[in-house]
Amino acid sequence: MKVTDNKRIVKNTALLYIRMVVLMFVGFMTSRIVLDKLGVTDYGIYDVVGGIAVLLVFFSGTLSSAVSRFLVYEIAKKDHEEVKKVYRSSVTIHLVFGIGLLIVMESGGLWFLENVLVIPSERIQVVGIVYQFVVLGALLKLVQLPVSALMIAHEDMQLYSYVGMFDAVLRLGLVFFIDAFRYDNLLVYGFIVLLVSMMSFLVYNISAFIRYKEYSVLPLYDKYVVSKMMNFVGWGVIGGFASIMKTQGLNMLLNVFFGPSINAARGVSYQVNNGVGGLTQNFIVALSPQITKSYASRDFGRMKKLVYRGAKYSFYLLLLLSLPLLFEVDYILGLWLTDVPDYASVFTRLIIIQALVESFNPVLYAAVQATGKIKIYQLIVGGTLLVNLPLSVFLFWSGLEPQSCFILSIGISLISLFLRFVLLSKMRLNFCFFDMVKNIFLMSLVVAILSVPIPYLVNHYIQPGMMRFALVVMTSMSTVMLLVWFVGLREEERQSLQKILPGRGYSA
């Protein structure tokens, strides 16, 4: 069973990497075209207006992870009827929240748009219509979450990957026609994004109807199941709210203090980060169900190994791709975009560094989430992350540059990482704080520090251009891979990887 499960992790990770590469390429192409056709100001406006909807559905990620956790847990117990109850109850929860969100978006969200955000007066009417498109698209994504959670719970990454790639390719194909209509380009783009969301919603649901017995459009209210899930979601909302305030909340602050052009720079930098960060996110999607199943079967030894290795591998995979970007971000942005917004370069570097610090977090949270005991974790970690926003307001009021909020966020992310280690070590799952610091954080930090000198020298002493870029990529990646193998892994981990590479499976 373990060999089969671990082979599944490798296979699913490979499928998700293919998905990530397609989405990254398509996403970069889409952003370039949209920025070129909308211009910096309208691009920044859409980024911040879209952020309102994301901010208001901040708990969607918490809902999705809760549904996935309960589905995986029941699937591991082979209780088909309970799987059905959990899925149909999750449909009920999402419909209720969707109605509530519509009310909030059309009241508080609309007020925020009209009275707080910095938007040129001549664009207010168009932006109001685009906001309605964004609201409808956000609601579609919200009620679609149980379906994607069902796919992940079944570890059906092939279908999950195909649907994700369909969504991205369709969006890229449609953005070419932004200026083909005699309407405002921002308005056309907003409608295109909504149209893609509608098509994606249909494809997800039709695929699930064909593939899964548990799928149903009929909601169910099972008091016991809904109560358990809502208790989980209730505490998870704290972490979800903290996370979204750190991203979209800061985006709103940047708009209020510095205007929409800064939002364009932030949007570009997050596009780069999302493309590279897809590596670790996809790895976690493949790994999390196995962590939950290990907990459900009370195999805590295997659970610990999955968490230790998963946390380090997430960091190493992100470092492999992000290190060349840190050195060559100016060159890459110049190749990618016709008009590079101010601050895009420094934002991108800082956001990538923060992503490296946070790359450990999803695996650690997967272990906590598997237990279902997330109350203390969310209160402490979520509460720590929430200080990002008030401290950023203070920094901006003090006259500091826009990038100061990202530097602050990196420091808070480091503090929250060590809090996660402490909390996980208190959960009686055989995790030790000092062991995690040594074998996860410090081992990864040593690899990162030792990886810098060689590509730095190449970047420093060779003139900018394609040759330097190619040399930085080659030296960075080869250095990281060698250091990971000889410094960043323990002997048993090297042996496990040696078994994985030829495809013979391994015993976690």
Side-chain angles (χ1 to χ4, degrees):
M1 177 63 73
K2 290 180 183 179
V3 172
T4 303
D5 288 341
N6 288 299
K7 282 184 177 179
R8 185 179 294 117
I9 292 175
V10 176
K11 176 186 175 183
N12 288 339
T13 302
L15 286 168
L16 290 168
Y17 283 168
I18 295 170
R19 176 183 186 270
M20 182 275 300
V21 170
V22 173
L23 264 59
M24 181 169 63
F25 174 76
V26 172
F28 286 165
M29 289 294 296
T30 303
S31 296
R32 175 190 172 92
I33 296 167
V34 172
L35 179 57
D36 186 48
K37 291 182 181 292
L38 296 188
V40 171
T41 299
D42 275 3
Y43 185 87
I45 288 173
Y46 188 85
D47 186 64
V48 74
V49 169
I52 295 177
V54 175
L55 183 62
L56 291 173
V57 295
F58 65 87
F59 50 79
S60 62
T62 303
L63 283 171
S64 180
S65 63
V67 175
S68 293
R69 186 267 172 192
F70 283 97
L71 286 172
V72 170
Y73 195 86
E74 299 302 337
I75 289 172
K77 291 165 60 178
K78 296 181 171 57
D79 192 334
H80 187 65
E81 289 304 313
E82 281 301 313
V83 175
K84 280 186 176 181
K85 284 183 182 179
V86 169
Y87 178 75
R88 291 183 60 193
S89 296
S90 73
V91 172
T92 303
I93 293 170
H94 281 76
L95 287 174
V96 171
F97 271 110
I99 295 170
L101 277 175
L102 181 61
I103 296 171
V104 173
M105 287 176 174
E106 293 299 341
S107 52
L110 202 56
W111 176 87
F112 189 84
L113 173 72
E114 295 173 347
N115 296 279
V116 179
L117 292 184
V118 178
I119 296 172
S121 57
E122 68 275 9
R123 306 299 286 152
I124 290 293
Q125 185 175 0
V126 169
V127 171
I129 299 172
V130 170
Y131 177 72
Q132 298 303 321
F133 292 157
V134 169
V135 168
L136 183 54
L139 291 175
L140 285 173
K141 289 182 179 179
L142 178 64
V143 297
Q144 173 188 297
L145 284 175
V147 182
S148 56
L150 187 62
M151 287 183 184
I152 294 171
H154 278 288
E155 300 183 75
D156 193 355
M157 301 310 169
Q158 186 172 14
L159 178 59
Y160 182 74
S161 299
Y162 289 159
V163 176
M165 288 187 284
F166 167 80
D167 182 285
V169 172
L170 179 61
R171 181 175 302 194
L172 174 61
L174 289 176
V175 296
F176 281 104
F177 299 98
I178 286 177
D179 51 8
F181 302 92
R182 295 181 179 179
Y183 293 100
D184 187 282
N185 283 358
L186 180 59
L187 190 64
V188 173
Y189 178 63
F191 179 74
I192 285 173
V193 174
L194 172 60
L195 182 62
V196 172
S197 296
M198 294 170 67
M199 293 297 294
S200 179
F201 177 83
L202 289 174
V203 171
Y204 265 105
N205 282 273
I206 292 171
S207 301
F209 173 75
I210 295 171
R211 206 162 180 110
Y212 308 121
K213 294 179 180 179
E214 301 91 352
Y215 175 81
S216 174
V217 294
L218 299 175
L220 171 72
Y221 180 75
D222 184 293
K223 185 176 180 180
Y224 177 69
V225 174
V226 170
S227 176
K228 284 199 305 181
M229 292 179 68
M230 288 310 300
N231 182 62
F232 189 94
V233 169
W235 293 114
V237 161
I238 297 173
F241 182 69
S243 178
I244 207 67
M245 291 303 288
K246 188 185 64 177
T247 54
Q248 295 302 332
L250 287 180
N251 196 25
M252 305 297 172
L253 276 184
L254 288 169
N255 174 268
V256 171
F257 280 91
F258 302 103
S261 61
I262 288 293
N263 296 118
R266 181 261 179 203
V268 166
S269 60
Y270 266 93
Q271 182 66 47
V272 175
N273 177 65
N274 291 340
V276 178
L279 258 176
T280 55
Q281 292 169 8
N282 289 328
F283 180 59
I284 300 309
V285 169
L287 185 66
S288 292
Q290 289 297 321
I291 292 176
T292 302
K293 288 179 179 179
S294 296
Y295 176 80
S297 61
R298 296 298 184 264
D299 190 349
F300 299 135
R302 181 171 185 265
M303 181 184 181
K304 180 180 177 180
K305 287 182 180 180
L306 288 173
V307 171
Y308 272 57
R309 295 176 187 181
K312 287 197 298 186
Y313 295 168
S314 295
F315 180 87
Y316 296 151
L317 287 168
L318 185 56
L319 181 65
L320 188 68
L321 277 186
S322 63
L323 190 60
L325 283 175
L326 288 171
F327 288 113
E328 292 292 329
V329 65
D330 293 307
Y331 180 74
I332 292 169
L333 291 177
L335 282 179
W336 173 31
L337 302 174
T338 304
D339 184 13
V340 181
D342 294 337
Y343 291 99
S345 175
V346 64
F347 283 6
T348 301
R349 284 193 173 97
L350 291 172
I351 289 169
I352 288 175
I353 292 171
Q354 182 175 342
L356 284 166
V357 174
E358 296 181 342
S359 62
F360 307 102
N361 299 347
V363 179
L364 301 176
Y365 182 61
V368 176
Q369 183 176 258
T371 69
K373 301 172 183 177
I374 63 171
K375 175 181 176 180
I376 302 300
Y377 180 94
Q378 294 289 12
L379 283 173
I380 294 176
V381 175
T384 302
L385 294 177
L386 278 174
V387 303
N388 266 292
L389 208 59
L391 289 181
S392 294
V393 171
F394 174 76
L395 294 178
F396 294 157
W397 271 340
S398 300
L400 295 183
E401 293 287 305
Q403 62 266 34
S404 61
C405 68
F406 297 112
I407 297 171
L408 168 70
S409 191
I410 292 171
I412 293 174
S413 294
L414 273 170
I415 294 170
S416 69
L417 174 62
F418 286 99
L419 289 175
R420 294 172 206 266
F421 286 152
V422 171
L423 293 168
L424 192 55
S425 68
K426 301 292 185 182
M427 299 194 74
R428 298 180 182 177
L429 295 172
N430 199 29
F431 290 92
C432 171
F433 172 78
F434 294 105
D435 192 44
M436 285 187 285
V437 171
K438 175 185 175 183
N439 289 303
I440 296 178
F441 178 73
L442 291 180
M443 195 173 282
S444 301
L445 182 63
V446 169
V447 170
I449 292 173
L450 294 178
S451 299
V452 169
I454 295 177
Y456 170 79
L457 292 173
V458 173
N459 176 266
H460 188 70
Y461 287 106
I462 298 178
Q463 290 296 315
M466 180 57 71
M467 179 178 290
R468 189 182 79 175
F469 173 70
L471 287 173
V472 167
V473 170
M474 287 189 291
T475 54
S476 296
M477 289 189 165
S478 57
T479 302
V480 169
M481 287 188 287
L482 287 171
L483 285 168
V484 166
W485 188 259
F486 291 106
V487 178
L489 298 175
R490 293 182 293 184
E491 182 59 31
E492 63 175 297
E493 293 167 343
R494 281 192 287 270
Q495 291 174 1
S496 294
L497 283 177
Q498 284 173 334
K499 294 176 183 178
I500 259 188
L501 295 176
R504 296 196 301 268
Y506 73 108
S507 175

